[in-house]
Amino acid sequence: MPSRTLGSDVTTTFKTRGEPTRAADLRRMKWRAGGLLIAVTALFVIMRATTDGSGWAGYVEAAAEAAMVGGVADWFAVTALFRHPLGIPIPHTAIIPNRKDQIGRSLGTFVQDNFLDDELVAGRIRHFGPAQRLGRWMAVPANARRLGEQTSAAIGGVTEVLDDDDVAAGIGQVLLRRLEEIELASVASHALHVAVDGQHHQAAFDAALRAVDRIVIENQDILRKRLYEESPWWVPEAIDDRVFDKIAGGVNRLVADVLANPHHELRVLVDDRVRELAVALRESPELGARGEVLKGEILEHPEVRAWLESVWVHVKEGMIAAAEDPDSELRQRLESAIVSAGRRLASDPVLQAKVDRWLEGVARYVVSQSEGEVADLITSTVARWDPQQTGERIELQVGRDLQFIRINGTVVGGMVGVVIHAVAGVL
């Protein structure tokens, strides 16, 4: 049904779901009740016109008369709830339209006092056992997949609506503060200890030896020329060549020996020096200060600052891609975690009790904080309804059943009329 304006700025819209069916049922029941009233009225007129009211005719006439009275009285009572009977503004009629605001307040108070009770809600939660039911539902892979889809969609939606500049700047500042709190010398010392204990530094040492060996081999002409320049003028070139070959060959043989021997004395020397450096980094104030200066210079570099602020963009792109891909590791891990959590929740009474108690606490808090708002919502909503439409909509909901009151009033009135006529005859 279209909206109706109730003043300058208040508009109400009534839901119309199922109204055609209810309206048809209401019309049918009104015709039945009205038809019965017409029938008893016609019977009364016939009996008055064709009989003298004696014998059985008196009982029929009395029954018809009382049925008319009962039917009209109940018609008046039912009609007076929703409108003025026959359009006549009789006092205390059109009760629902005229008193809808009071009805709204009473309904809000009734709901608040009888439904929004924290003990009642908590008791229903305890009886329902939501934790175990939730666990069983989550443990079903199909349900976990649906929940994973919804969670992934929520993750993607949240990341999409966030302001990239603000988030990137915030994350960059957090990372920067965390990096500023780190003591570079201490971290380097720990890293060296780990490298030496695991012999990881030897791999770097081997790579350096191979690099030296390759430099000597690939740059012999340059090195030989430099030796010529540094050698005295009176030394023959043949001797320079023999010296250079000895030096180059010695370097090559030394590199080969060190690479082939894991216990070479040069390796032991490197181990000792690296351990000494690790200790010095941890204990030397001078090296610690130099490490902090170096760290500050690195963190102040514009490219480092730009990289820190760009972390969010890469994280966001990865999260959105993973959330949209049903076969991504994020989705698979999320679904697996949901199933695992559901199985544990369904089988662990202690965890169930904790979750149920938490839900009870949440329900109590929500009820205690919102019961007044719910009552006000009901009251204010009803207050915005149009009085005439209010009566019509409520009549659509309950009017069909109220027509049985008219039918019953007509029937009961006829029965009472027979009894009264019989008692009057005896008296």
Side-chain angles (χ1 to χ4, degrees):
M1 184 170 183
S3 302
R4 178 177 297 182
T5 303
L6 306 179
S8 59
D9 58 351
V10 180
T11 301
T12 182
T13 300
F14 290 95
K15 302 297 182 180
T16 59
R17 185 186 307 170
E19 281 194 0
T21 301
R22 292 193 181 97
D25 291 341
L26 177 59
R27 284 193 299 270
R28 255 192 320 270
M29 290 307 301
K30 283 184 174 182
W31 275 108
R32 290 176 183 176
L36 181 59
L37 179 58
I38 293 172
V40 296
T41 302
L43 178 60
F44 174 75
V45 172
I46 292 172
M47 295 306 297
R48 290 286 290 184
T50 60
T51 66
D52 58 1
S54 60
W56 64 269
Y59 284 94
V60 174
E61 183 181 330
E65 183 179 7
M68 280 194 306
V69 173
V72 171
D74 286 337
W75 165 82
F76 182 90
V78 170
T79 303
L81 289 173
F82 307 106
R83 63 185 62 85
H84 296 299
L86 301 177
I88 302 172
I90 303 173
H92 305 295
T93 59
I95 295 174
I96 291 177
N98 290 334
R99 303 184 64 186
K100 70 176 182 66
D101 293 346
Q102 181 179 348
I103 293 173
R105 288 192 295 271
S106 299
L107 180 60
T109 303
F110 177 79
V111 171
Q112 177 179 344
D113 294 342
N114 295 278
F115 291 92
L116 300 179
D117 179 77
D118 57 348
E119 286 295 336
L120 175 63
V121 174
R124 291 299 299 171
I125 290 176
R126 286 193 296 269
H127 176 74
F128 183 70
Q132 186 179 45
R133 292 173 181 263
L134 177 62
R136 291 174 179 172
W137 185 87
M138 292 170 57
V140 178
N143 296 334
R145 189 174 302 109
R146 287 196 295 271
L147 185 57
E149 291 175 357
Q150 298 299 322
T151 305
S152 299
I155 293 174
V158 170
T159 54
E160 284 287 0
V161 301
L162 292 176
D163 186 276
D164 289 342
D165 294 336
D166 292 341
V167 176
I171 292 178
Q173 289 298 321
V174 171
L175 291 176
L176 185 62
R177 285 195 297 270
R178 294 290 295 177
L179 291 173
E180 289 174 345
E181 295 173 358
I182 296 174
E183 295 182 1
L184 185 59
S186 177
V187 172
S189 173
H190 181 72
L192 288 177
H193 275 298
V194 173
V196 173
D197 292 341
Q199 293 297 299
H200 303 298
H201 69 300
Q202 293 295 349
F205 182 52
D206 290 346
L209 288 174
R210 291 190 181 93
V212 171
D213 189 47
R214 187 167 57 254
I215 289 173
V216 172
I217 294 174
E218 295 177 352
N219 297 277
Q220 288 192 16
D221 293 340
I222 298 175
L223 296 174
R224 192 185 299 274
K225 181 180 179 181
R226 184 60 181 268
L227 178 63
Y228 290 162
E229 295 173 353
E230 296 294 335
S231 176
W233 61 270
W234 46 266
V235 176
E237 288 187 4
I239 295 178
D240 286 340
D241 289 338
R242 293 190 63 183
V243 171
F244 178 80
D245 291 339
K246 286 286 187 181
I247 295 174
V251 171
N252 296 144
R253 286 190 296 273
L254 176 62
V255 169
D257 290 343
V258 176
L259 290 175
N261 184 6
H263 303 291
H264 195 280
E265 60 183 6
L266 190 57
R267 291 186 182 274
V268 176
L269 179 62
V270 169
D271 279 351
D272 293 340
R273 294 296 179 267
V274 172
R275 292 183 188 276
E276 291 174 1
L277 177 60
V279 173
L281 286 171
R282 185 179 67 248
E283 298 179 355
S284 171
E286 180 183 355
L287 289 179
R290 292 174 62 183
E292 291 304 300
V293 172
L294 176 61
K295 181 186 69 176
E297 293 176 352
I298 294 174
L299 294 180
E300 289 296 328
H301 197 281
E303 292 188 5
V304 175
R305 290 294 186 101
W307 177 83
L308 290 175
E309 294 186 358
S310 70
V311 170
W312 163 246
V313 177
H314 300 297
V315 172
K316 174 183 176 180
E317 293 174 352
M319 290 176 62
I320 293 177
E324 293 176 350
D325 183 7
D327 298 323
S328 67
E329 184 176 359
L330 173 65
R331 290 280 291 272
Q332 293 176 0
R333 287 182 177 272
L334 182 59
E335 292 172 12
S336 177
I338 292 172
V339 172
S340 177
R343 289 173 179 171
R344 183 186 173 195
L345 188 58
S347 60
D348 189 342
V350 176
L351 182 59
Q352 292 170 16
K354 290 182 179 179
V355 174
D356 285 343
R357 284 196 298 270
W358 179 79
L359 290 175
E360 287 182 29
V362 171
R364 289 177 183 273
Y365 176 80
V366 171
V367 169
S368 63
Q369 296 296 317
S370 63
E371 57 180 355
E373 285 78 1
V374 172
D376 292 341
L377 174 64
I378 295 174
T379 301
S380 60
T381 300
V382 174
R384 289 196 300 269
W385 290 353
D386 175 74
Q388 181 180 349
Q389 282 190 309
T390 301
E392 293 173 356
R393 291 301 171 272
I394 295 178
E395 185 179 14
L396 279 179
Q397 300 297 322
V398 301
R400 180 180 182 278
D401 295 328
L402 293 179
Q403 301 309 309
F404 284 104
I405 295 177
R406 294 177 56 191
I407 295 174
N408 294 337
T410 304
V411 174
V412 172
M415 296 171 61
V416 172
V418 171
V419 172
I420 293 175
H421 184 74
V423 172
V426 172
L427 296 177

